[in-house]
Amino acid sequence: MHSRPFRWLTALALLAGLVGPAAAHGPTRQKVVETITIDAPADKVWAIVANFDALKNWHPAVAESPASKGNEEGSVRELKLKGGGALTETLESHDTAKMKYSYRAKDGGALPVTNYTSTITVKADGKGSVVEWRGAFYRGYPNNDPPPDQNDEAAVAAITGVYKSGLANLKTIAERK
């Protein structure tokens, strides 16, 4: 007679345990990958993007991009944006032979993201090249119910915009004769 209420309470407790964590679930890691085909040899395109401090030379939104140790792992790049705002990024790896480098930003600064990691890669494609810019990050607001400018959609839109505008400008610069 006592076992039925006990089973019911146990089932209820188990159910509450399953529902509780789901309701408290925070942000999920977001990813953006953008690629562009450029009618220029990979080595020419790599020469434009290779230096960690060169972002100001090819990204239309970046006014300044000095890097503390150039292309050395651990180099810190202090981005200043043309429209105002800043971002600090740290170089994690740089591989000239593979024409790629990766960097990280713990705080998104002017972007609505946190724990942002990114890799840019240039690959030969026939007589031209393909550039891939990929990133993974969390939205800027770490708790539940983020404001619209700090939610997953805002984070993805911001990074997508950064990558697309940068790659489009890189294509224009690299394809100039």
Side-chain angles (χ1 to χ4, degrees):
M1 185 167 170
H2 292 288
S3 65
R4 229 178 247 197
F6 178 73
R7 272 191 250 156
W8 183 81
L9 287 173
T10 302
L12 186 61
L14 286 172
L15 186 59
L18 294 174
V19 172
H25 183 70
T28 56
R29 194 143 174 89
Q30 303 297 308
K31 293 179 180 150
V32 170
V33 178
E34 290 294 329
T35 60
I36 196 163
T37 301
I38 299 178
D39 188 19
D43 58 347
K44 178 181 178 183
V45 176
W46 176 246
I48 297 168
V49 301
N51 291 323
F52 192 50
D53 66 355
L55 194 59
K56 70 182 179 311
N57 299 336
W58 59 272
H59 199 292
V62 178
E64 297 176 34
S65 57
S68 65
K69 299 178 193 170
N71 295 335
E72 187 180 319
E73 190 176 308
S75 181
V76 176
R77 177 165 72 183
E78 299 287 346
L79 299 181
K80 297 222 182 323
L81 305 179
K82 290 180 180 173
L87 182 60
T88 301
E89 300 170 330
T90 303
L91 187 63
E92 294 200 319
S93 66
H94 191 282
D95 189 332
T96 300
K98 292 183 180 177
M99 291 191 274
K100 89 186 220 181
Y101 67 82
S102 298
Y103 57 94
R104 168 180 302 277
K106 288 181 184 174
D107 172 355
L111 297 172
V113 300
T114 59
N115 289 328
Y116 167 73
T117 58
S118 186
T119 300
I120 190 160
T121 308
V122 179
K123 292 184 179 175
D125 183 37
K127 293 182 181 179
S129 56
V130 173
V131 180
E132 178 186 86
W133 202 352
R134 68 172 45 237
F137 47 88
Y138 289 94
R139 67 180 181 231
Y141 188 82
N143 301 319
N144 289 330
D145 302 320
D149 64 337
Q150 297 276 311
N151 65 17
D152 289 341
E153 293 78 14
V156 168
I159 297 301
T160 300
V162 166
Y163 289 2
K164 283 187 173 193
S165 65
L167 291 173
N169 201 52
L170 175 61
K171 179 178 175 74
T172 299
I173 292 168
E175 290 180 351
R176 284 187 192 140
K177 302 285 179 189

